[in-house]
């Protein structure tokens, strides 16, 4: 489950990237240092990225590099160092809908979005920096400033109430503000080879030096 998901350039109506557990993507400084868990490569369009757990990826959880009308929804984006969601290159159409996700991080210098993420339709997201201020997490603005740009009218800066985020238990308590906004819990431990496929599970369990 510890992997990097890259959707290659192109148009893929109806394609789903869902149910993945992606963690510890760590680029080498000065040699491709940017490192994300989910990457919609140049021109990727009409793809839905849903119900994925992306944790501890150096630069951020997801990068959208051009493309049209992709959907990023119901994901948990956790413990990134720079920005949870990145967009490379502004376009004159909707590039990505960012809705109903949970952003959780600890670095007080990190933000929810990078500087090129203006103009993406975002709503119903929950944002929380566990170890820092919420005053400048939206490209240097607070939530009120972010809303003035038309985003997250129903979003909130609030503790999503994980059972134990610092230990990697991303289950939500019943009182979570994410559940109020329609977040659908998923079991990230089910990611990987299907349990019903005995042959593939046996093969996946083999370790090599």
């Amino acid at each position: 489950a510890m992997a990097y998901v890259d959707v290659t350039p192109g148009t893929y109506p109806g394609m789903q990237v869902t149910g993945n557990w992606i963690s510890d993507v760590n680029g080498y400084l000065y040699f491709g240092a940017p490192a994300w868990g989910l990457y919609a490569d140049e021109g990727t369009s009409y793809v839905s990225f849903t119900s994925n757990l992306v944790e501890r990826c150096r630069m951020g959880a997801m990068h959208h590099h051009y493309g049209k009308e992709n959907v990023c929804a119901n994901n948990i984006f956790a413990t990134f160092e720079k920005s949870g969601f990145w967009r490379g290159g502004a376009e004159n159409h909707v590039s990505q809908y960012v809705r109903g996700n949970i952003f959780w991080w600890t670095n007080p210098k990190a933000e929810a979005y990078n500087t090129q993420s203006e103009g993406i339709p975002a709503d119903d997201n929950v944002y929380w920096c566990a170890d820092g201020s919420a005053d400048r997490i939206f490209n240097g603005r607070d939530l009120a400033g972010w809303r003035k740009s038309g985003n997250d009218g129903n979003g909130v800066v609030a503790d999503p109430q994980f059972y134990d985020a610092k230990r990697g238990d991303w289950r939500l308590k019943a009182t979570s503000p994410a559940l109020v906004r329609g977040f659908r819990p998923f079991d990230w431990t089910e990611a990987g080879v299907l349990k019903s496929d005995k042959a593939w599970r046996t093969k996946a369990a083999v370790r090599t030096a």
Side-chain angles (χ1 to χ4, degrees):
M2 312 312 179
Y4 163 72
V5 175
D6 184 349
V7 177
T8 57
T11 300
Y12 306 95
M15 182 176 178
Q16 299 278 335
V17 178
T18 187
N20 296 285
W21 177 9
I22 304 162
S23 73
D24 301 287
V25 179
N26 185 23
Y28 292 99
L29 287 175
Y30 311 113
F31 295 97
W36 301 276
L38 294 169
Y39 189 88
D41 209 348
E42 187 170 354
T44 298
S45 299
Y46 309 111
V47 177
S48 293
F49 298 84
T50 59
S51 300
N52 300 289
L53 167 61
V54 185
E55 59 176 346
R56 296 191 303 276
C57 294
R58 169 172 279 176
M59 295 297 284
M62 180 167 187
H63 189 293
H64 172 93
H65 189 208
Y66 298 102
K68 186 175 184 180
E69 295 190 27
N70 295 295
V71 174
C72 171
N74 211 74
N75 302 287
I76 298 174
F77 293 156
T79 55
F80 44 85
E81 293 185 17
K82 296 291 184 179
S83 301
F85 183 92
W86 292 66
R87 183 173 73 159
E91 301 173 283
N92 294 323
H93 55 250
V94 173
S95 55
Q96 184 104 14
Y97 296 96
V98 183
R99 294 174 174 165
N101 303 284
I102 301 174
F103 293 73
W104 185 96
W105 68 100
T106 60
N107 182 359
K109 295 182 179 179
E111 296 186 304
Y113 297 90
N114 80 322
T115 56
Q116 295 189 63
S117 295
E118 297 295 332
I120 57 169
D123 205 2
D124 289 313
N125 299 292
V126 175
Y127 307 94
W128 189 246
C129 180
D131 294 341
S133 170
D135 292 340
R136 301 178 60 81
I137 64 174
F138 301 101
N139 300 340
R141 294 165 296 180
D142 60 9
L143 180 60
W146 179 239
R147 285 176 170 170
K148 287 181 180 179
S149 65
N151 290 303
D152 273 301
N154 298 302
V156 65
V157 175
D159 186 347
Q161 300 180 27
F162 292 117
Y163 270 79
D164 193 344
K166 293 191 175 182
R167 291 182 178 272
D169 187 344
W170 306 107
R171 292 175 299 160
L172 293 169
K173 296 178 181 178
T175 52
S176 169
L179 297 176
V180 174
R181 286 159 178 80
F183 188 89
R184 302 177 304 281
F186 57 90
D187 186 355
W188 67 94
T189 65
E190 292 292 319
V193 179
L194 295 175
K195 288 185 175 180
S196 59
D197 196 327
K198 183 178 179 180
W200 271 107
R201 288 192 65 79
T202 299
K203 190 174 184 66
V206 176
R207 295 180 179 272
T208 58

